């Protein structure tokens, strides 16, 4: 999904891309190989469309939009590989609070070359003005006042040169106090990186759908499918980070500094990686000069070098986090929350005034415990109402109890069960009177539930279940279990499965603790020896269990991400002062950035729900990126502790436990490899193997 979520942003991005393609942006780059003047019109073409001044005030001819509006256009321009000084001119217009400069940009009279280092100023030889760093900040000078020494760039879409200020009169010229890469440059360059990554992903996927090798479309091969899925993970991460940087920059301060640090750490490396992977998927054709993919790789690698060392940005982000800065997860509802706010606040405060022991029943009775569930057990709440309730319960100091497996079991019963079954099991789940376990996985059927073998045979008044289940948490103390068993051995694998509710105190059930690599036994094996399950414990139709196993309620649960980065990342931040090495700061900064991206992916998914849109790729990608973040950060915490890992200190024991426990994350709930297959097929549309 692109940076923009709203319909207006989607339309803006489409307009920019269509315009750039109609103007022949890439054809101009091709022509410039033999005609140096081929790119000259691109110094003013974006201004003629009003694209260079979207976020500038209307008083100087700008569009009066937000920085996010401008980022949407820059991303689309990056996708279309718009050449020339578009990015640098936009950045300069925002950097320098100078009415003449801004009016000149709006009128197409001024284009700006810009550099973070005077040795590498983009479009230095062709722009009318140059933004050059000095020891006092950046200064904007007319190009005819300085000496420009032409340079050489791997990027064929933009010129580069060294600007020599020696002897130049800079008195009275516009200045900007920013040191290093200005915030506006980081934010908008990140947006361009998102456009680059997205073009590379789209191009690779479309090629993988049609290119045939060994009698198959190459997208059907797991190696290619996984490579494309990894490109999706990176591309979505780049987009989320660029989006948040533009959002935060509007408010300035530490929030902007933090978000820009995340974007700089994630986006430029990410665009390079996706561009390289695109050429890998394309194979030999990707290595030809005729294919456009190398132009995007060139742009990506040059953009990263131009903005600066991503490791240094990561270290700065770590320092920001060490100072206590965290990105807040506030949501602008645009007034949509007004109709729910008063009622939610009144009810939350009423429950908050009760004794702790009475709150759970009150939450259940009010529908606030699971507001997305249908009435009378919930409120049938959509995304906005759910988030308002979350906010008001938090303000009232009311914490919802965790339903654990009940959060999965009860919705299935609500969806496919009878009225008697709903009455029997749903409210007691909410009030905590009963506890659930899930009995799906088997030794020979983990992610592949269609291969399960537990058989259910007809008997008087019900069914006899025989077989083995594994990886069952809470089975040793659960009152009830939701169980899939095969009721028709002759049917197709998905068609012969039925959904049962099993009384875990039934005769013939043997629960055995399964000791994991942590040394603990959080999971169990459960053996069934002709366990009787009455007919009134069958949910839905016989042989209709597969549909129920994958069903979700119409209103799914949405939530806001908190500001905390995760236990391992927070521990790594705490250790920075003790370790103190630059390499450690960079590693911690990268861990912070990845953890924040996971939160941003969830946030964007929530915003889509608020906007009434279907789910985007973010929710699927968040699981994959989240696993990598939690596993890598747990390993980093152990590395930073060094010799302390061999002690019994509280944090050493915690780090050890997190590292070992988190190994299950890439296995549980579908292995990473299976999820990448799913992402490749269901999100990217690649063919099945």
């Amino acid at each position: 999904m692109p940076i923009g979520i709203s319909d207006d942003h989607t339309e803006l991005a489409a307009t920019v891309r269509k315009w750039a393609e109609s103007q022949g942006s890439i054809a101009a780059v091709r022509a410039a190989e033999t005609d140096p003047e081929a790119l000259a019109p691109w110094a003013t073409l974006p201004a003629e469309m009003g694209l260079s001044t979207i976020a500038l005030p209307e008083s100087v001819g700008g569009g009066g939009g937000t920085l996010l509006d401008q980022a949407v256009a820059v991303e689309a321009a990056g996708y279309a590989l718009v050449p020339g000084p578009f990015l640098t001119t936009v950045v300069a217009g925002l950097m320098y609070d100078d009415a003449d400069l801004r009016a000149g940009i709006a009128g197409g009279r001024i284009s700006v070359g810009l550099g973070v280092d005077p040795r590498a100023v983009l479009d230095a030889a062709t722009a009318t003005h140059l933004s050059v760093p000095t020891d006092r900040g950046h200064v904007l000078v007319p190009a005819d006042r300085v000496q420009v020494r032409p340079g050489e760039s791997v990027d064929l879409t933009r010129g580069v040169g060294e600007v020599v200020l020696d002897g130049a009169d800079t008195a009275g010229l516009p200045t900007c106090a920013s040191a290093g890469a200005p915030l506006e440059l980081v934010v908008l360059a990140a947006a361009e990186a998102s456009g680059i990554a997205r073009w590379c992903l789209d191009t690779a996927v479309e090629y993988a759908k049609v290119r045939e090798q060994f009698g198959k479309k190459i997208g059907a091969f797991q190696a290619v499918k996984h490579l494309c899925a990894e490109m999706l993970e990176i591309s979505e991460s780049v987009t989320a980070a660029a989006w948040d940087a533009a959002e935060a920059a509007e408010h300035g301060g530490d929030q902007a500094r933090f978000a820009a640090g995340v974007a700089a750490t994630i986006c430029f490396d990410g665009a390079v990686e996706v561009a390289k992977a695109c050429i890998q998927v394309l194979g030999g054709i990707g290595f030809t000069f005729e294919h456009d993919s190398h132009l995007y790789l060139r742009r990506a690698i040059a953009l990263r070098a131009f903005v600066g060392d991503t490791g240094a940005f990561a270290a700065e982000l770590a320092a920001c986090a060490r100072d206590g800065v965290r990105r807040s997860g506030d949501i602008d509802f645009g007034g949509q929350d007004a109709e729910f706010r008063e009622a939610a606040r009144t009810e939350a405060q009423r429950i908050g005034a009760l004794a702790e022991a009475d709150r759970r029943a009150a939450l259940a009775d009010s529908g606030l415990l699971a507001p997305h569930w249908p009435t009378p057990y919930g409120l049938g709440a959509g995304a906005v109402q759910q988030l308002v309730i979350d906010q008001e319960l938090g303000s009232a100091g009311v914490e919802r109890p965790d339903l654990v497996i009940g959060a999965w079991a009860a919705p299935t019963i609500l969806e496919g069960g009878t009225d008697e079954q709903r009455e029997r099991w749903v409210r007691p789940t909410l009030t905590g009177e009963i506890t659930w376990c899930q009995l799906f996985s088997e030794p020979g059927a983990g992610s592949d539930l269609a291969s399960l073998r537990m058989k259910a045979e007809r008997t008087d008044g019900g069914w006899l279940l025989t077989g083995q289940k594994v990886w069952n948490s809470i089975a040793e103390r659960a009152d009830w279990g939701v169980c899939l068993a095969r009721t028709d051995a002759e049917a197709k694998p998905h068609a012969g499965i039925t959904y049962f509710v099993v009384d875990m105190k039934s005769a013939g059930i043997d629960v055995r603790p399964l000791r994991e690599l942590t040394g603990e036994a959080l999971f169990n094996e459960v053996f069934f020896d002709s366990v009787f399950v009455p007919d009134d414990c069958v949910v839905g139709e016989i042989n209709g269990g597969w549909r129920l196993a994958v069903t979700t309620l119409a209103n799914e649960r949405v939530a806001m991400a908190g500001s905390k980065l995760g236990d391992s990342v927070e521990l790594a931040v705490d250790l920075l002062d003790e370790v103190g090495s630059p390499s450690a700061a960079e590693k911690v900064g990268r861990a912070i950035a990845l953890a924040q991206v996971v939160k941003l992916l969830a946030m964007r998914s929530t915003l889509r729900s608020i906007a009434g849109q279907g789910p985007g790729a973010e929710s699927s990608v968040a699981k994959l990126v989240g696993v990598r973040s939690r596993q890598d950060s747990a390993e980093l915490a152990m590395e930073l502790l060094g010799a302390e890992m061999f002690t019994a200190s509280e944090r050493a024991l915690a780090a050890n436990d997190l590292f070992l426990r988190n190994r299950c994350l890439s296995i549980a709930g579908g292995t990473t490899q299976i999820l990448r297959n799913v992402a490749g097929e269901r999100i990217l549309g690649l063919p099945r193997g």
Side-chain angles (χ1 to χ4, degrees):
M1 307 299 293
I3 285 177
I5 293 174
S6 69
D7 291 341
D8 287 344
H9 281 163
T10 301
E11 184 177 347
L12 172 61
T15 300
V16 173
R17 284 172 52 179
K18 187 180 297 183
W19 163 80
E21 290 162 5
S22 71
Q23 295 294 321
S25 54
I26 294 180
V29 175
R30 295 286 187 183
E33 186 179 11
T34 55
D35 178 10
E37 296 301 314
L39 296 182
W42 288 91
T44 57
L45 277 173
E48 293 172 8
M49 278 290 291
L51 302 180
S52 303
T53 53
I54 289 174
L56 293 184
E58 294 179 1
S59 60
V60 294
T66 67
L67 190 57
L68 181 59
D69 298 333
Q70 185 69 72
V72 168
V74 170
E75 180 194 43
Y79 189 102
L81 209 68
V82 167
F86 172 56
L87 172 66
T88 51
T89 300
V90 170
V91 170
L94 294 166
M95 281 175 57
Y96 296 98
D97 186 8
D98 185 273
D100 291 337
L101 166 68
R102 290 173 169 176
I105 293 173
R109 301 184 303 277
I110 292 178
S111 60
V112 184
L114 184 147
V116 178
D117 186 314
R119 296 171 298 176
V121 176
L122 294 188
D123 287 294
T126 56
T128 63
H129 290 67
L130 303 172
S131 175
V132 187
T134 70
D135 55 4
R136 299 183 305 279
H138 294 255
V139 63
L140 185 75
V141 298
D144 57 10
R145 287 198 197 178
V146 296
Q147 179 186 359
V148 177
R149 297 171 182 163
E152 191 72 30
S153 175
V154 67
D155 182 5
L156 303 181
T157 69
R158 293 176 176 136
V160 68
E162 179 181 5
V163 175
V164 181
L165 284 176
D166 294 346
D169 181 11
T170 60
L173 294 176
T175 59
C176 175
S178 297
L183 176 70
E184 297 86 353
L185 173 61
V186 172
V187 170
L188 293 177
E192 181 175 281
S194 177
I196 294 168
R198 198 150 299 282
W199 183 92
C200 292
L201 171 64
D202 289 349
T203 300
V205 169
E206 289 309 308
Y207 185 78
K209 289 178 181 178
V210 299
R211 173 66 166 144
E212 291 191 5
Q213 285 284 299
F214 308 106
K216 285 185 176 182
K217 303 289 193 297
I218 65 171
F221 295 112
Q222 183 165 280
V224 175
K225 194 170 294 177
H226 282 200
L227 184 55
C228 290
E230 288 167 12
M231 292 172 69
L232 174 67
E233 293 170 42
I234 298 171
S235 181
E236 288 296 324
S237 298
V238 169
T239 298
W243 163 77
D244 190 54
E247 284 273 21
E250 289 289 334
H251 308 290
D254 286 340
Q255 291 288 294
R257 175 187 167 208
F258 187 93
V262 172
T265 303
I266 293 291
C267 296
F268 307 119
D269 289 335
V272 171
E273 289 305 309
V274 176
K276 291 191 296 187
C278 175
I279 291 176
Q280 187 69 24
V281 173
L282 293 171
I285 193 173
F287 195 67
T288 65
F289 198 84
E290 286 73 23
H291 199 281
D292 294 335
S293 56
H294 74 96
L295 298 176
Y296 286 84
L297 175 63
R298 289 167 177 268
R299 171 74 74 90
I301 198 76
L303 186 66
R304 181 172 69 178
F306 171 66
V307 176
D309 179 12
T310 60
F313 282 113
E316 291 176 13
L317 176 61
C320 187
R322 184 173 51 191
D323 291 342
V325 180
R326 299 292 184 275
R327 186 78 175 98
S328 65
D330 294 337
I331 289 179
D332 180 4
F333 293 101
Q336 295 183 61
D337 57 326
E339 64 177 299
F340 308 115
R341 182 70 64 183
E342 185 176 351
R345 180 171 297 164
T346 299
E347 192 64 11
Q349 290 177 349
R350 180 188 71 80
I351 295 172
L354 298 174
E356 191 74 37
D358 298 327
R359 289 183 179 181
R360 179 161 187 160
L363 283 166
D365 291 338
S366 66
L368 299 191
L369 204 161
H372 57 300
W373 291 3
T375 56
Y377 305 103
L379 300 174
V384 174
Q385 187 177 5
Q386 289 180 53
L387 294 171
V388 169
I389 290 169
D390 285 354
Q391 288 179 337
E392 295 303 330
L393 287 176
S395 297
V398 178
E399 186 174 346
R400 286 195 187 94
D402 186 359
L403 299 179
V404 200
I405 306 299
W408 306 337
T412 306
I413 295 168
L414 285 169
E415 180 81 14
T418 64
D419 289 340
E420 291 76 16
Q421 288 173 335
R422 296 185 190 101
E423 183 67 25
R424 181 180 184 183
W425 287 310
V426 176
R427 190 179 186 283
T429 299
L430 290 170
T431 57
E433 297 168 62
I434 59 175
T435 303
W436 294 86
C437 66
Q438 188 182 62
L439 303 161
F440 285 8
S441 295
E442 297 181 5
S447 300
D448 182 15
L449 290 178
S451 297
L452 63 82
R453 296 181 180 178
M454 173 176 278
K455 57 181 184 176
E457 299 176 311
R458 256 296 181 194
T459 190
D460 290 341
W463 299 81
L464 295 177
L465 274 59
T466 301
Q468 178 187 358
K469 297 293 183 178
V470 72
W471 306 121
N472 316 111
S473 58
I474 320 178
E476 77 282 0
R477 56 185 172 87
D479 302 297
W480 294 90
V482 288
C483 180
L484 294 178
R486 190 164 295 286
T487 43
D488 187 347
E490 304 301 320
K492 292 181 179 180
H494 293 88
I497 296 171
T498 299
Y499 197 104
F500 295 94
V501 174
V502 179
D503 184 344
M504 293 302 290
K505 299 177 180 62
S506 300
I509 292 181
D510 182 13
V511 178
R512 302 178 190 174
L514 184 63
R515 198 173 183 213
E516 303 92 45
L517 57 79
T518 61
E520 298 179 0
L522 299 177
F523 299 98
N524 303 274
E525 294 178 287
V526 182
F527 295 87
F528 287 68
D529 183 7
S530 297
V531 175
F532 177 70
V533 179
D535 283 327
D536 62 5
C537 288
V538 174
V539 180
E541 298 178 357
I542 303 299
N543 298 326
W546 178 262
R547 182 188 65 81
L548 285 177
V550 298
T551 193
T552 56
L553 287 172
N555 289 335
E556 294 189 30
R557 179 77 176 106
V558 297
M560 290 182 291
S563 60
K564 192 175 179 181
L565 293 166
D567 292 341
S568 296
V569 180
E570 295 289 358
L571 175 56
V573 172
D574 291 342
L575 289 167
L576 265 179
D577 284 330
E578 298 177 36
V579 179
S581 71
S583 63
E586 177 182 340
K587 291 177 182 177
V588 172
R590 292 192 184 280
I592 292 167
L594 193 60
Q596 184 62 26
V597 160
V598 178
K599 290 151 60 70
L600 294 175
L601 290 167
M603 174 72 80
R604 282 170 60 83
S605 182
T606 296
L607 290 174
R608 288 190 190 283
S609 296
I610 290 175
Q613 301 173 4
E618 297 98 343
S619 56
S620 298
V621 170
K623 166 71 160 65
L624 292 163
V625 179
V627 166
R628 180 157 55 93
S629 171
R630 291 173 65 183
Q631 289 184 338
D632 289 355
S633 61
E635 187 170 354
L636 174 61
M638 291 184 70
E639 177 187 336
L640 295 178
L641 281 169
E644 188 180 337
M645 285 308 307
F646 300 100
T647 72
S649 72
E650 183 177 343
R651 62 188 189 182
L653 293 174
N656 267 308
D657 182 70
L658 280 170
F659 171 74
L660 295 172
R661 190 182 306 278
N662 284 355
R663 297 320 305 167
C664 78
L665 298 177
S666 50
I667 301 170
T671 67
T672 292
Q673 290 69 32
I674 293 296
L675 290 178
R676 283 186 176 142
N677 282 347
V678 172
E681 293 166 6
R682 297 185 185 175
I683 298 176
L684 299 178
L686 293 171
R688 291 180 176 272

